[in-house]
Amino acid sequence: MHAKHFLIIAISVCVLVSCKKDNKAASPAVTIVGKWYLKKYHTRNYKNNVLLRDTVRTDYSVTDFEVFSNDGSGYTSNLTPSGETALIIYQYTLSDKVLTISKTTPAFYEGTYAVNTLTENTLEVTYESSTTVNGDHYYGIDNISFAKD
């Protein structure tokens, strides 16, 4: 009788030990798709390697955001100085850490952005531009931070 109880207890222990719980829930794939609210825009402008301007803006409203859709389309919503909301539609591609925004008509933000951070709730990109005018070299760096709600 004791051997029978011991065998039942031993089998129960083996079953409990071998049944491993997987506490890790499947984490969603990190994607740029969704609505991203503008949180911070840091701009630095140089002329012939001398810093001309270094500004940071963080006072954005709920109307300042980007929307990236699954099909490669997107749009920007910005509150204009006159208090109106402007919507600008574009196409985008994201390959590795390179975000390219294209539009059929010129827009100041059209171009190639380096993706510094992309998590479930944080998107940070950098845009660099340069031009030479009358022998002077102008260079700009924009660091832009977004967050999902």
Side-chain angles (χ1 to χ4, degrees), residues 50-85:
V50 175
L51 182 64
L52 297 176
R53 185 176 74 158
D54 187 350
T55 60
V56 176
R57 180 177 171 203
T58 58
D59 61 335
Y60 293 99
S61 73
V62 294
T63 60
D64 296 309
F65 59 84
E66 301 284 332
V67 172
F68 296 100
S69 300
N70 280 324
D71 64 359
S73 67
Y75 66 92
T76 297
S77 170
N78 293 112
L79 189 63
T80 66
S82 65
E84 297 175 356
T85 300

Side-chain angles (χ1 to χ4, degrees), residues 6 19 25 29 37 43 51 56 60 98-99 105 128 139 142:
F6 176 74
C19 293
Y37 291 93
T43 300
L51 182 64
V56 176
Y60 293 99
V98 178
L99 171 64
T105 59
E128 297 184 19
Y139 182 72
D142 297 334

Side-chain angles (χ1 to χ4, degrees), residues 5 11 26 29-30 32 41 43 57 61 74 78-79 92 94 98 102 124-125 138 143 147:
H5 287 289
I11 291 173
V30 175
I32 198 168
Y41 204 113
T43 300
R57 180 177 171 203
S61 73
N78 293 112
L79 189 63
Y92 78 92
L94 178 62
V98 178
S102 56
E124 294 177 357
V125 298
Y138 295 89
N143 294 105

Side-chain angles (χ1 to χ4, degrees), residues 28-33 36 97 115-124 146-148:
V30 175
T31 177
I32 198 168
V33 172
W36 296 91
K97 296 271 187 181
V115 177
N116 304 322
T117 305
L118 177 58
T119 67
E120 190 176 336
N121 298 313
T122 303
L123 172 62
E124 294 177 357
F146 300 90
K148 276 188 183 176

Side-chain angles (χ1 to χ4, degrees), residues 128-148:
E128 297 184 19
S129 61
S130 67
T131 189
T132 301
V133 178
N134 297 326
D136 291 319
H137 179 71
Y138 295 89
Y139 182 72
I141 304 172
D142 297 334
N143 294 105
I144 311 160
S145 300
F146 300 90
K148 276 188 183 176

Side-chain angles (χ1 to χ4, degrees), residues 82-93:
S82 65
E84 297 175 356
T85 300
L87 296 177
I88 301 169
I89 299 170
Y90 55 79
Q91 295 295 311
Y92 78 92
T93 58

